[in-house]
Amino acid sequence: MGQPEIASIPMTSALTRAARVLAARAERVLAPHGFTFDQWLVADALAREQDLSMAQLAERTQLTGPTLSRVVDRLATSALLYRQVDPADRRRAVVRLGPRGRAARAAALADLVALERELLGELGDAPEFLARLAGNG
């Protein structure tokens, strides 16, 4: 029995599986820099926009509240980011990437860009690529 045709795989399933495979490949590239994929999402969001609230970070990263709290706690413990009380609203915490976090993110970004170039080189036909990435080709 051969591989299923891409048309027989619902797009939602194919894209979800492809995203998970991509995240796993990215995590292997990020690990030597001390990042999990979720930690990378937070560091990257903070590098793009300083002083984000937890709600804003959750929106930018699509991480759930409990997961985001754990990720921020771990990054804060490593002094990669800092949590501060928002001076405009003392009930709210603001998260900021620190100098160590910026340096780690920059180093990881170079390796992640190399991975993306490799993947784009494999792209060829987009449906075929998605099928291969999702493990169906």
Side-chain angles (χ1 to χ4, degrees), residues 38-39 41-58 60-61 63 65 67-77 79-87 89 91-99 101-102:
D38 289 344
Q39 290 170 340
L41 293 175
V42 169
D44 190 55
L46 290 171
R48 294 172 191 283
E49 302 176 71
Q50 277 288 351
D51 296 338
L52 293 174
S53 70
M54 292 294 281
Q56 290 169 318
L57 261 178
R60 307 289 191 292
T61 62
L63 296 174
T67 298
L68 181 59
S69 292
R70 280 192 302 277
V71 167
V72 167
D73 287 346
R74 286 186 189 128
L75 291 171
T77 299
L80 296 176
L81 62 76
Y82 301 98
R83 246 187 307 230
Q84 301 170 327
V85 174
D86 184 348
D89 182 353
R91 298 169 295 172
R92 192 173 92 132
V94 174
V95 184
R96 169 178 285 194
L97 198 59
R102 286 198 175 282

mmCIF file of all heavy atoms in Angstrom, residues 38-39 41-58 60-61 63 65 67-77 79-87 89 91-99 101-102:
data_model
loop_
_atom_site.group_PDB
_atom_site.id
_atom_site.type_symbol
_atom_site.label_atom_id
_atom_site.label_comp_id
_atom_site.label_asym_id
_atom_site.label_seq_id
_atom_site.Cartn_x
_atom_site.Cartn_y
_atom_site.Cartn_z
ATOM 1 N N ASP A 38 8.664 26.718 23.449
ATOM 2 C CA ASP A 38 7.806 27.699 24.119
ATOM 3 C C ASP A 38 8.628 28.869 24.658
ATOM 4 O O ASP A 38 8.205 30.028 24.576
ATOM 5 C CB ASP A 38 7.009 27.048 25.250
ATOM 6 C CG ASP A 38 5.909 26.128 24.744
ATOM 7 O OD1 ASP A 38 5.548 26.203 23.551
ATOM 8 O OD2 ASP A 38 5.406 25.324 25.553
ATOM 9 N N GLN A 39 9.804 28.584 25.207
ATOM 10 C CA GLN A 39 10.667 29.663 25.694
ATOM 11 C C GLN A 39 11.121 30.549 24.544
ATOM 12 O O GLN A 39 11.205 31.769 24.686
ATOM 13 C CB GLN A 39 11.883 29.087 26.429
ATOM 14 C CG GLN A 39 11.525 28.460 27.751
ATOM 15 C CD GLN A 39 12.683 27.681 28.353
ATOM 16 O OE1 GLN A 39 13.626 27.292 27.652
ATOM 17 N NE2 GLN A 39 12.604 27.423 29.644
ATOM 18 N N LEU A 41 9.405 31.150 21.807
ATOM 19 C CA LEU A 41 8.277 31.996 21.420
ATOM 20 C C LEU A 41 8.196 33.236 22.306
ATOM 21 O O LEU A 41 7.953 34.348 21.823
ATOM 22 C CB LEU A 41 6.967 31.206 21.490
ATOM 23 C CG LEU A 41 6.792 30.080 20.481
ATOM 24 C CD1 LEU A 41 5.508 29.310 20.766
ATOM 25 C CD2 LEU A 41 6.810 30.613 19.060
ATOM 26 N N VAL A 42 8.425 33.055 23.606
ATOM 27 C CA VAL A 42 8.377 34.178 24.547
ATOM 28 C C VAL A 42 9.544 35.128 24.296
ATOM 29 O O VAL A 42 9.356 36.344 24.183
ATOM 30 C CB VAL A 42 8.371 33.672 26.006
ATOM 31 C CG1 VAL A 42 8.594 34.808 26.993
ATOM 32 C CG2 VAL A 42 7.055 32.956 26.309
ATOM 33 N N ALA A 43 10.759 34.595 24.197
ATOM 34 C CA ALA A 43 11.939 35.437 23.973
ATOM 35 C C ALA A 43 11.817 36.207 22.662
ATOM 36 O O ALA A 43 12.145 37.402 22.596
ATOM 37 C CB ALA A 43 13.205 34.594 23.992
ATOM 38 N N ASP A 44 11.329 35.549 21.625
ATOM 39 C CA ASP A 44 11.178 36.200 20.330
ATOM 40 C C ASP A 44 10.141 37.320 20.392
ATOM 41 O O ASP A 44 10.368 38.410 19.860
ATOM 42 C CB ASP A 44 10.808 35.161 19.265
ATOM 43 C CG ASP A 44 10.866 35.737 17.876
ATOM 44 O OD1 ASP A 44 11.925 36.278 17.483
ATOM 45 O OD2 ASP A 44 9.849 35.644 17.152
ATOM 46 N N ALA A 45 9.020 37.057 21.048
ATOM 47 C CA ALA A 45 7.990 38.100 21.182
ATOM 48 C C ALA A 45 8.533 39.299 21.953
ATOM 49 O O ALA A 45 8.289 40.452 21.576
ATOM 50 C CB ALA A 45 6.752 37.532 21.880
ATOM 51 N N LEU A 46 9.294 39.034 23.010
ATOM 52 C CA LEU A 46 9.840 40.129 23.819
ATOM 53 C C LEU A 46 10.945 40.879 23.083
ATOM 54 O O LEU A 46 11.147 42.071 23.325
ATOM 55 C CB LEU A 46 10.355 39.599 25.154
ATOM 56 C CG LEU A 46 9.267 39.138 26.117
ATOM 57 C CD1 LEU A 46 9.880 38.430 27.320
ATOM 58 C CD2 LEU A 46 8.393 40.308 26.555
ATOM 59 N N ALA A 47 11.667 40.202 22.209
ATOM 60 C CA ALA A 47 12.701 40.884 21.429
ATOM 61 C C ALA A 47 12.070 41.832 20.413
ATOM 62 O O ALA A 47 12.634 42.871 20.085
ATOM 63 C CB ALA A 47 13.583 39.860 20.717
ATOM 64 N N ARG A 48 10.894 41.471 19.955
ATOM 65 C CA ARG A 48 10.204 42.301 18.964
ATOM 66 C C ARG A 48 9.476 43.478 19.599
ATOM 67 O O ARG A 48 9.346 44.540 18.986
ATOM 68 C CB ARG A 48 9.220 41.456 18.164
ATOM 69 C CG ARG A 48 9.906 40.419 17.313
ATOM 70 C CD ARG A 48 8.910 39.457 16.675
ATOM 71 N NE ARG A 48 9.580 38.339 16.071
ATOM 72 C CZ ARG A 48 10.215 38.380 14.911
ATOM 73 N NH1 ARG A 48 10.277 39.493 14.234
ATOM 74 N NH2 ARG A 48 10.808 37.311 14.436
ATOM 75 N N GLU A 49 8.966 43.276 20.820
ATOM 76 C CA GLU A 49 8.223 44.326 21.521
ATOM 77 C C GLU A 49 8.592 44.268 22.997
ATOM 78 O O GLU A 49 8.318 43.280 23.654
ATOM 79 C CB GLU A 49 6.718 44.088 21.416
ATOM 80 C CG GLU A 49 6.165 44.022 20.033
ATOM 81 C CD GLU A 49 4.685 43.694 20.062
ATOM 82 O OE1 GLU A 49 3.903 44.574 20.478
ATOM 83 O OE2 GLU A 49 4.345 42.560 19.709
ATOM 84 N N GLN A 50 9.193 45.308 23.503
ATOM 85 C CA GLN A 50 9.552 45.327 24.920
ATOM 86 C C GLN A 50 8.312 45.571 25.778
ATOM 87 O O GLN A 50 7.292 46.064 25.297
ATOM 88 C CB GLN A 50 10.564 46.447 25.199
ATOM 89 C CG GLN A 50 11.978 46.069 24.906
ATOM 90 C CD GLN A 50 12.543 45.064 25.930
ATOM 91 O OE1 GLN A 50 11.950 44.767 26.960
ATOM 92 N NE2 GLN A 50 13.709 44.546 25.631
ATOM 93 N N ASP A 51 8.442 45.227 27.038
ATOM 94 C CA ASP A 51 7.423 45.538 28.048
ATOM 95 C C ASP A 51 6.033 45.024 27.686
ATOM 96 O O ASP A 51 5.101 45.789 27.501
ATOM 97 C CB ASP A 51 7.357 47.042 28.320
ATOM 98 C CG ASP A 51 8.639 47.587 28.911
ATOM 99 O OD1 ASP A 51 9.407 46.797 29.483
ATOM 100 O OD2 ASP A 51 8.866 48.800 28.810
ATOM 101 N N LEU A 52 5.902 43.717 27.600
ATOM 102 C CA LEU A 52 4.604 43.109 27.338
ATOM 103 C C LEU A 52 4.013 42.577 28.633
ATOM 104 O O LEU A 52 4.727 42.030 29.470
ATOM 105 C CB LEU A 52 4.734 41.966 26.328
ATOM 106 C CG LEU A 52 5.132 42.350 24.911
ATOM 107 C CD1 LEU A 52 5.358 41.102 24.074
ATOM 108 C CD2 LEU A 52 4.094 43.243 24.272
ATOM 109 N N SER A 53 2.715 42.712 28.777
ATOM 110 C CA SER A 53 2.026 42.099 29.912
ATOM 111 C C SER A 53 1.908 40.606 29.646
ATOM 112 O O SER A 53 2.107 40.141 28.515
ATOM 113 C CB SER A 53 0.633 42.710 30.079
ATOM 114 O OG SER A 53 -0.204 42.307 29.009
ATOM 115 N N MET A 54 1.554 39.864 30.672
ATOM 116 C CA MET A 54 1.357 38.419 30.481
ATOM 117 C C MET A 54 0.225 38.170 29.486
ATOM 118 O O MET A 54 0.315 37.253 28.667
ATOM 119 C CB MET A 54 1.093 37.741 31.824
ATOM 120 C CG MET A 54 2.298 37.734 32.753
ATOM 121 S SD MET A 54 3.658 36.723 32.135
ATOM 122 C CE MET A 54 3.063 35.097 32.591
ATOM 123 N N ALA A 55 -0.825 38.968 29.540
ATOM 124 C CA ALA A 55 -1.935 38.798 28.593
ATOM 125 C C ALA A 55 -1.465 39.056 27.161
ATOM 126 O O ALA A 55 -1.831 38.322 26.239
ATOM 127 C CB ALA A 55 -3.084 39.727 28.953
ATOM 128 N N GLN A 56 -0.645 40.073 26.965
ATOM 129 C CA GLN A 56 -0.123 40.359 25.631
ATOM 130 C C GLN A 56 0.799 39.233 25.156
ATOM 131 O O GLN A 56 0.755 38.842 23.998
ATOM 132 C CB GLN A 56 0.634 41.689 25.628
ATOM 133 C CG GLN A 56 -0.271 42.892 25.794
ATOM 134 C CD GLN A 56 0.508 44.160 26.062
ATOM 135 O OE1 GLN A 56 1.475 44.169 26.831
ATOM 136 N NE2 GLN A 56 0.078 45.241 25.426
ATOM 137 N N LEU A 57 1.624 38.726 26.080
ATOM 138 C CA LEU A 57 2.510 37.608 25.728
ATOM 139 C C LEU A 57 1.695 36.371 25.346
ATOM 140 O O LEU A 57 2.041 35.670 24.396
ATOM 141 C CB LEU A 57 3.420 37.269 26.908
ATOM 142 C CG LEU A 57 4.826 37.816 26.872
ATOM 143 C CD1 LEU A 57 5.574 37.441 28.135
ATOM 144 C CD2 LEU A 57 5.575 37.406 25.644
ATOM 145 N N ALA A 58 0.646 36.104 26.081
ATOM 146 C CA ALA A 58 -0.207 34.954 25.772
ATOM 147 C C ALA A 58 -0.804 35.111 24.373
ATOM 148 O O ALA A 58 -0.860 34.150 23.598
ATOM 149 C CB ALA A 58 -1.308 34.804 26.818
ATOM 150 N N ARG A 60 0.464 36.901 21.847
ATOM 151 C CA ARG A 60 1.519 36.829 20.830
ATOM 152 C C ARG A 60 2.035 35.400 20.635
ATOM 153 O O ARG A 60 2.424 35.034 19.532
ATOM 154 C CB ARG A 60 2.719 37.702 21.192
ATOM 155 C CG ARG A 60 2.456 39.160 21.510
ATOM 156 C CD ARG A 60 2.074 40.013 20.368
ATOM 157 N NE ARG A 60 2.047 41.442 20.596
ATOM 158 C CZ ARG A 60 1.204 42.108 21.368
ATOM 159 N NH1 ARG A 60 0.341 41.481 22.112
ATOM 160 N NH2 ARG A 60 1.219 43.421 21.411
ATOM 161 N N THR A 61 2.082 34.605 21.709
ATOM 162 C CA THR A 61 2.680 33.273 21.640
ATOM 163 C C THR A 61 1.664 32.150 21.506
ATOM 164 O O THR A 61 2.035 31.022 21.193
ATOM 165 C CB THR A 61 3.510 32.993 22.906
ATOM 166 O OG1 THR A 61 2.646 33.030 24.049
ATOM 167 C CG2 THR A 61 4.644 33.996 23.063
ATOM 168 N N LEU A 63 0.284 30.705 23.920
ATOM 169 C CA LEU A 63 0.485 29.781 25.037
ATOM 170 C C LEU A 63 -0.619 30.000 26.058
ATOM 171 O O LEU A 63 -1.098 31.128 26.245
ATOM 172 C CB LEU A 63 1.855 30.029 25.699
ATOM 173 C CG LEU A 63 3.074 29.765 24.818
ATOM 174 C CD1 LEU A 63 4.355 30.180 25.548
ATOM 175 C CD2 LEU A 63 3.147 28.309 24.406
ATOM 176 N N GLY A 65 -2.278 30.272 29.842
ATOM 177 C CA GLY A 65 -1.818 30.977 31.036
ATOM 178 C C GLY A 65 -0.851 30.176 31.896
ATOM 179 O O GLY A 65 0.237 30.659 32.223
ATOM 180 N N THR A 67 0.984 27.525 31.149
ATOM 181 C CA THR A 67 2.224 27.248 30.421
ATOM 182 C C THR A 67 3.072 28.503 30.335
ATOM 183 O O THR A 67 4.286 28.469 30.584
ATOM 184 C CB THR A 67 1.927 26.704 29.007
ATOM 185 O OG1 THR A 67 1.216 25.470 29.136
ATOM 186 C CG2 THR A 67 3.195 26.495 28.205
ATOM 187 N N LEU A 68 2.452 29.611 30.019
ATOM 188 C CA LEU A 68 3.184 30.870 29.918
ATOM 189 C C LEU A 68 3.822 31.236 31.255
ATOM 190 O O LEU A 68 4.984 31.656 31.296
ATOM 191 C CB LEU A 68 2.260 31.994 29.435
ATOM 192 C CG LEU A 68 2.924 33.358 29.267
ATOM 193 C CD1 LEU A 68 4.073 33.296 28.257
ATOM 194 C CD2 LEU A 68 1.888 34.386 28.859
ATOM 195 N N SER A 69 3.094 31.053 32.354
ATOM 196 C CA SER A 69 3.654 31.351 33.678
ATOM 197 C C SER A 69 4.891 30.508 33.956
ATOM 198 O O SER A 69 5.910 31.019 34.450
ATOM 199 C CB SER A 69 2.622 31.123 34.776
ATOM 200 O OG SER A 69 1.595 32.078 34.669
ATOM 201 N N ARG A 70 4.830 29.217 33.652
ATOM 202 C CA ARG A 70 5.993 28.336 33.862
ATOM 203 C C ARG A 70 7.169 28.772 32.995
ATOM 204 O O ARG A 70 8.310 28.805 33.448
ATOM 205 C CB ARG A 70 5.630 26.881 33.556
ATOM 206 C CG ARG A 70 4.897 26.185 34.681
ATOM 207 C CD ARG A 70 4.818 24.676 34.450
ATOM 208 N NE ARG A 70 4.164 24.300 33.209
ATOM 209 C CZ ARG A 70 2.846 24.201 33.035
ATOM 210 N NH1 ARG A 70 2.035 24.433 34.052
ATOM 211 N NH2 ARG A 70 2.334 23.856 31.871
ATOM 212 N N VAL A 71 6.899 29.092 31.730
ATOM 213 C CA VAL A 71 7.958 29.498 30.811
ATOM 214 C C VAL A 71 8.611 30.796 31.303
ATOM 215 O O VAL A 71 9.840 30.899 31.350
ATOM 216 C CB VAL A 71 7.399 29.662 29.378
ATOM 217 C CG1 VAL A 71 8.383 30.376 28.468
ATOM 218 C CG2 VAL A 71 7.037 28.302 28.804
ATOM 219 N N VAL A 72 7.811 31.775 31.671
ATOM 220 C CA VAL A 72 8.344 33.050 32.154
ATOM 221 C C VAL A 72 9.130 32.839 33.444
ATOM 222 O O VAL A 72 10.215 33.398 33.612
ATOM 223 C CB VAL A 72 7.210 34.092 32.319
ATOM 224 C CG1 VAL A 72 7.675 35.305 33.112
ATOM 225 C CG2 VAL A 72 6.694 34.517 30.944
ATOM 226 N N ASP A 73 8.627 31.994 34.346
ATOM 227 C CA ASP A 73 9.358 31.705 35.591
ATOM 228 C C ASP A 73 10.730 31.123 35.292
ATOM 229 O O ASP A 73 11.735 31.525 35.893
ATOM 230 C CB ASP A 73 8.577 30.726 36.473
ATOM 231 C CG ASP A 73 7.366 31.355 37.128
ATOM 232 O OD1 ASP A 73 7.254 32.602 37.126
ATOM 233 O OD2 ASP A 73 6.511 30.593 37.631
ATOM 234 N N ARG A 74 10.796 30.169 34.378
ATOM 235 C CA ARG A 74 12.092 29.540 34.041
ATOM 236 C C ARG A 74 13.047 30.533 33.401
ATOM 237 O O ARG A 74 14.244 30.547 33.702
ATOM 238 C CB ARG A 74 11.881 28.337 33.127
ATOM 239 C CG ARG A 74 11.305 27.157 33.871
ATOM 240 C CD ARG A 74 11.235 25.911 32.994
ATOM 241 N NE ARG A 74 10.491 24.881 33.695
ATOM 242 C CZ ARG A 74 9.470 24.222 33.197
ATOM 243 N NH1 ARG A 74 9.054 24.459 31.967
ATOM 244 N NH2 ARG A 74 8.844 23.303 33.907
ATOM 245 N N LEU A 75 12.544 31.362 32.502
ATOM 246 C CA LEU A 75 13.401 32.352 31.863
ATOM 247 C C LEU A 75 13.855 33.424 32.856
ATOM 248 O O LEU A 75 14.986 33.905 32.777
ATOM 249 C CB LEU A 75 12.686 32.993 30.665
ATOM 250 C CG LEU A 75 12.459 32.073 29.470
ATOM 251 C CD1 LEU A 75 11.550 32.740 28.443
ATOM 252 C CD2 LEU A 75 13.777 31.660 28.834
ATOM 253 N N ALA A 76 12.991 33.755 33.804
ATOM 254 C CA ALA A 76 13.371 34.725 34.841
ATOM 255 C C ALA A 76 14.425 34.131 35.776
ATOM 256 O O ALA A 76 15.374 34.816 36.164
ATOM 257 C CB ALA A 76 12.140 35.172 35.622
ATOM 258 N N THR A 77 14.277 32.860 36.114
ATOM 259 C CA THR A 77 15.260 32.182 36.975
ATOM 260 C C THR A 77 16.633 32.181 36.318
ATOM 261 O O THR A 77 17.655 32.286 37.001
ATOM 262 C CB THR A 77 14.806 30.732 37.271
ATOM 263 O OG1 THR A 77 13.563 30.800 37.961
ATOM 264 C CG2 THR A 77 15.812 29.989 38.117
ATOM 265 N N ALA A 79 17.710 34.508 34.433
ATOM 266 C CA ALA A 79 18.026 35.929 34.205
ATOM 267 C C ALA A 79 18.013 36.295 32.719
ATOM 268 O O ALA A 79 18.742 37.171 32.279
ATOM 269 C CB ALA A 79 19.351 36.310 34.853
ATOM 270 N N LEU A 80 17.162 35.603 31.950
ATOM 271 C CA LEU A 80 17.017 35.941 30.537
ATOM 272 C C LEU A 80 15.941 37.000 30.334
ATOM 273 O O LEU A 80 15.954 37.725 29.345
ATOM 274 C CB LEU A 80 16.692 34.689 29.716
ATOM 275 C CG LEU A 80 17.791 33.617 29.714
ATOM 276 C CD1 LEU A 80 17.332 32.387 28.945
ATOM 277 C CD2 LEU A 80 19.082 34.152 29.144
ATOM 278 N N LEU A 81 15.019 37.073 31.275
ATOM 279 C CA LEU A 81 14.006 38.118 31.231
ATOM 280 C C LEU A 81 13.699 38.572 32.648
ATOM 281 O O LEU A 81 14.086 37.927 33.620
ATOM 282 C CB LEU A 81 12.740 37.660 30.500
ATOM 283 C CG LEU A 81 11.920 36.485 31.042
ATOM 284 C CD1 LEU A 81 11.074 36.864 32.243
ATOM 285 C CD2 LEU A 81 11.008 35.982 29.945
ATOM 286 N N TYR A 82 13.022 39.690 32.724
ATOM 287 C CA TYR A 82 12.671 40.274 34.019
ATOM 288 C C TYR A 82 11.190 40.622 34.040
ATOM 289 O O TYR A 82 10.633 41.054 33.039
ATOM 290 C CB TYR A 82 13.496 41.546 34.272
ATOM 291 C CG TYR A 82 14.971 41.274 34.248
ATOM 292 C CD1 TYR A 82 15.721 41.527 33.105
ATOM 293 C CD2 TYR A 82 15.602 40.720 35.350
ATOM 294 C CE1 TYR A 82 17.075 41.246 33.064
ATOM 295 C CE2 TYR A 82 16.959 40.431 35.323
ATOM 296 C CZ TYR A 82 17.686 40.700 34.180
ATOM 297 O OH TYR A 82 19.014 40.413 34.140
ATOM 298 N N ARG A 83 10.600 40.417 35.203
ATOM 299 C CA ARG A 83 9.208 40.805 35.436
ATOM 300 C C ARG A 83 9.233 42.022 36.334
ATOM 301 O O ARG A 83 9.915 42.024 37.356
ATOM 302 C CB ARG A 83 8.476 39.681 36.158
ATOM 303 C CG ARG A 83 7.415 39.030 35.369
ATOM 304 C CD ARG A 83 6.667 38.063 36.222
ATOM 305 N NE ARG A 83 7.602 37.139 36.856
ATOM 306 C CZ ARG A 83 7.486 35.834 36.850
ATOM 307 N NH1 ARG A 83 6.460 35.285 36.276
ATOM 308 N NH2 ARG A 83 8.359 35.060 37.432
ATOM 309 N N GLN A 84 8.460 43.032 35.971
ATOM 310 C CA GLN A 84 8.388 44.253 36.771
ATOM 311 C C GLN A 84 6.930 44.651 36.931
ATOM 312 O O GLN A 84 6.093 44.296 36.109
ATOM 313 C CB GLN A 84 9.147 45.389 36.086
ATOM 314 C CG GLN A 84 10.601 45.079 35.853
ATOM 315 C CD GLN A 84 11.254 46.116 34.953
ATOM 316 O OE1 GLN A 84 10.630 46.663 34.058
ATOM 317 N NE2 GLN A 84 12.527 46.371 35.196
ATOM 318 N N VAL A 85 6.673 45.399 37.968
ATOM 319 C CA VAL A 85 5.334 45.946 38.170
ATOM 320 C C VAL A 85 5.158 47.088 37.172
ATOM 321 O O VAL A 85 6.041 47.930 37.008
ATOM 322 C CB VAL A 85 5.153 46.448 39.618
ATOM 323 C CG1 VAL A 85 3.807 47.143 39.790
ATOM 324 C CG2 VAL A 85 5.294 45.295 40.595
ATOM 325 N N ASP A 86 4.031 47.089 36.488
ATOM 326 C CA ASP A 86 3.726 48.141 35.525
ATOM 327 C C ASP A 86 3.518 49.450 36.286
ATOM 328 O O ASP A 86 2.625 49.536 37.136
ATOM 329 C CB ASP A 86 2.465 47.766 34.744
ATOM 330 C CG ASP A 86 2.115 48.752 33.651
ATOM 331 O OD1 ASP A 86 2.692 49.850 33.607
ATOM 332 O OD2 ASP A 86 1.243 48.417 32.825
ATOM 333 N N PRO A 87 4.327 50.469 36.013
ATOM 334 C CA PRO A 87 4.165 51.732 36.743
ATOM 335 C C PRO A 87 2.805 52.393 36.496
ATOM 336 O O PRO A 87 2.297 53.107 37.353
ATOM 337 C CB PRO A 87 5.308 52.611 36.236
ATOM 338 C CG PRO A 87 5.920 51.911 35.086
ATOM 339 C CD PRO A 87 5.423 50.504 35.066
ATOM 340 N N ASP A 89 -0.076 50.706 35.997
ATOM 341 C CA ASP A 89 -1.114 49.904 36.634
ATOM 342 C C ASP A 89 -0.424 48.879 37.530
ATOM 343 O O ASP A 89 0.000 47.819 37.079
ATOM 344 C CB ASP A 89 -1.961 49.190 35.577
ATOM 345 C CG ASP A 89 -3.096 48.362 36.166
ATOM 346 O OD1 ASP A 89 -3.163 48.229 37.415
ATOM 347 O OD2 ASP A 89 -3.908 47.849 35.383
ATOM 348 N N ARG A 91 -1.296 46.701 39.437
ATOM 349 C CA ARG A 91 -1.865 45.352 39.547
ATOM 350 C C ARG A 91 -1.322 44.427 38.470
ATOM 351 O O ARG A 91 -1.521 43.224 38.525
ATOM 352 C CB ARG A 91 -3.391 45.415 39.421
ATOM 353 C CG ARG A 91 -4.074 46.219 40.520
ATOM 354 C CD ARG A 91 -5.507 46.454 40.174
ATOM 355 N NE ARG A 91 -5.558 47.306 38.966
ATOM 356 C CZ ARG A 91 -6.630 47.592 38.289
ATOM 357 N NH1 ARG A 91 -7.791 47.112 38.655
ATOM 358 N NH2 ARG A 91 -6.589 48.360 37.223
ATOM 359 N N ARG A 92 -0.646 44.987 37.503
ATOM 360 C CA ARG A 92 -0.216 44.255 36.314
ATOM 361 C C ARG A 92 1.306 44.106 36.291
ATOM 362 O O ARG A 92 2.030 45.038 36.635
ATOM 363 C CB ARG A 92 -0.681 45.063 35.114
ATOM 364 C CG ARG A 92 -0.608 44.415 33.808
ATOM 365 C CD ARG A 92 -1.268 45.323 32.788
ATOM 366 N NE ARG A 92 -0.259 46.188 32.202
ATOM 367 C CZ ARG A 92 -0.125 46.397 30.913
ATOM 368 N NH1 ARG A 92 -0.975 45.874 30.069
ATOM 369 N NH2 ARG A 92 0.818 47.174 30.463
ATOM 370 N N ALA A 93 1.762 42.939 35.857
ATOM 371 C CA ALA A 93 3.204 42.712 35.676
ATOM 372 C C ALA A 93 3.561 42.911 34.211
ATOM 373 O O ALA A 93 2.782 42.581 33.317
ATOM 374 C CB ALA A 93 3.579 41.312 36.111
ATOM 375 N N VAL A 94 4.738 43.460 33.990
ATOM 376 C CA VAL A 94 5.262 43.658 32.649
ATOM 377 C C VAL A 94 6.534 42.822 32.544
ATOM 378 O O VAL A 94 7.327 42.754 33.474
ATOM 379 C CB VAL A 94 5.568 45.150 32.401
ATOM 380 C CG1 VAL A 94 6.239 45.352 31.068
ATOM 381 C CG2 VAL A 94 4.297 45.965 32.491
ATOM 382 N N VAL A 95 6.706 42.168 31.404
ATOM 383 C CA VAL A 95 7.854 41.291 31.188
ATOM 384 C C VAL A 95 8.763 41.942 30.154
ATOM 385 O O VAL A 95 8.292 42.482 29.149
ATOM 386 C CB VAL A 95 7.393 39.896 30.712
ATOM 387 C CG1 VAL A 95 8.558 38.957 30.567
ATOM 388 C CG2 VAL A 95 6.361 39.318 31.681
ATOM 389 N N ARG A 96 10.075 41.872 30.427
ATOM 390 C CA ARG A 96 11.078 42.480 29.547
ATOM 391 C C ARG A 96 12.242 41.511 29.371
ATOM 392 O O ARG A 96 12.683 40.896 30.329
ATOM 393 C CB ARG A 96 11.567 43.775 30.163
ATOM 394 C CG ARG A 96 12.792 44.344 29.473
ATOM 395 C CD ARG A 96 13.194 45.629 30.092
ATOM 396 N NE ARG A 96 12.204 46.604 29.615
ATOM 397 C CZ ARG A 96 12.350 47.905 29.722
ATOM 398 N NH1 ARG A 96 13.384 48.406 30.330
ATOM 399 N NH2 ARG A 96 11.428 48.715 29.258
ATOM 400 N N LEU A 97 12.710 41.388 28.147
ATOM 401 C CA LEU A 97 13.868 40.557 27.853
ATOM 402 C C LEU A 97 15.120 41.282 28.338
ATOM 403 O O LEU A 97 15.306 42.469 28.055
ATOM 404 C CB LEU A 97 13.947 40.304 26.342
ATOM 405 C CG LEU A 97 14.794 39.156 25.847
ATOM 406 C CD1 LEU A 97 14.315 37.824 26.429
ATOM 407 C CD2 LEU A 97 14.762 39.091 24.331
ATOM 408 N N GLY A 98 15.963 40.565 29.084
ATOM 409 C CA GLY A 98 17.200 41.151 29.587
ATOM 410 C C GLY A 98 18.328 41.015 28.578
ATOM 411 O O GLY A 98 18.189 40.369 27.538
ATOM 412 N N PRO A 99 19.491 41.598 28.890
ATOM 413 C CA PRO A 99 20.645 41.515 27.984
ATOM 414 C C PRO A 99 21.065 40.071 27.679
ATOM 415 O O PRO A 99 21.376 39.741 26.531
ATOM 416 C CB PRO A 99 21.748 42.263 28.728
ATOM 417 C CG PRO A 99 21.027 43.187 29.660
ATOM 418 C CD PRO A 99 19.762 42.469 30.032
ATOM 419 N N GLY A 101 19.121 37.474 27.715
ATOM 420 C CA GLY A 101 18.066 36.928 26.868
ATOM 421 C C GLY A 101 18.186 37.402 25.438
ATOM 422 O O GLY A 101 17.978 36.633 24.495
ATOM 423 N N ARG A 102 18.555 38.677 25.261
ATOM 424 C CA ARG A 102 18.738 39.217 23.905
ATOM 425 C C ARG A 102 19.893 38.507 23.196
ATOM 426 O O ARG A 102 19.793 38.162 22.024
ATOM 427 C CB ARG A 102 19.011 40.715 23.948
ATOM 428 C CG ARG A 102 17.781 41.505 24.260
ATOM 429 C CD ARG A 102 17.939 42.974 23.877
ATOM 430 N NE ARG A 102 16.670 43.618 24.107
ATOM 431 C CZ ARG A 102 15.623 43.536 23.316
ATOM 432 N NH1 ARG A 102 15.676 42.830 22.224
ATOM 433 N NH2 ARG A 102 14.487 44.142 23.607
#
